[in-house]
Amino acid sequence: RQEAARRRQEAEAQARLNAQLASLRDEYLAAIVARIQGNWERPIGAQNNQRARLLVRQARGGFITDVKMLRCEGNDAFCRSVLDAVWRSDPLPAPPREELFDAELEIEFDPDQR
């Protein structure tokens, strides 16, 4: 019985840690998106409801090594402006905990969601 109680306590502690890490990861990604949005310049004639999904590769220290547009729901000027904003955001914010660092990040960019 003691062993079962100990295992249950360990599982509960791990679940709390996982929830905390998930919350910190969400905050980390939000900080990256906020940095990119802060560096984004709306192109002349840009419409509302345009958005993009990007794959951003980074090295330690947040240094961007590559950016790929996975999907862009906008005109060419909007798509280019989003890519430019990502590159101007180099280096990206550091994660709050080292284990949250990910060399590849998928980022949703929606300028209407500030």
Side-chain angles (χ1 to χ4, degrees):
R1 240 197 271 196
Q2 289 177 340
E3 180 64 23
R6 183 187 64 74
R7 277 190 246 144
R8 187 177 58 251
Q9 287 176 338
E10 286 177 1
E12 290 169 356
Q14 186 63 47
R16 283 191 302 274
L17 177 62
N18 290 345
Q20 179 187 26
L21 289 175
S23 177
L24 287 172
R25 179 164 175 74
D26 289 346
E27 290 174 19
Y28 169 50
L29 290 174
I32 291 171
V33 170
R35 166 87 51 91
I36 294 168
Q37 285 181 330
N39 285 312
W40 182 66
E41 297 175 9
R42 182 178 289 273
I44 295 171
Q47 311 268 328
N48 288 337
N49 300 320
Q50 296 184 88
R51 60 184 66 75
R53 184 167 190 80
L54 305 130
L55 177 65
V56 178
R57 290 189 176 99
Q58 63 172 335
R60 296 276 177 199
F63 298 101
I64 296 172
T65 59
D66 189 38
V67 181
K68 288 195 183 271
M69 185 71 67
L70 300 176
R71 182 188 78 242
C72 187
E73 299 170 10
N75 61 25
D76 287 342
F78 172 79
C79 298
R80 279 191 310 273
S81 72
V82 174
L83 289 170
D84 291 344
V86 173
W87 284 110
R88 281 195 299 273
S89 300
D90 184 45
L92 298 172
R97 292 179 60 158
E98 188 58 32
E99 65 262 33
L100 294 175
F101 176 82
D102 194 346
E104 291 189 352
L105 302 169
E106 279 197 29
I107 296 179
E108 286 288 333
F109 181 83
D110 184 345
D112 299 324
Q113 298 287 343
R114 288 191 181 230

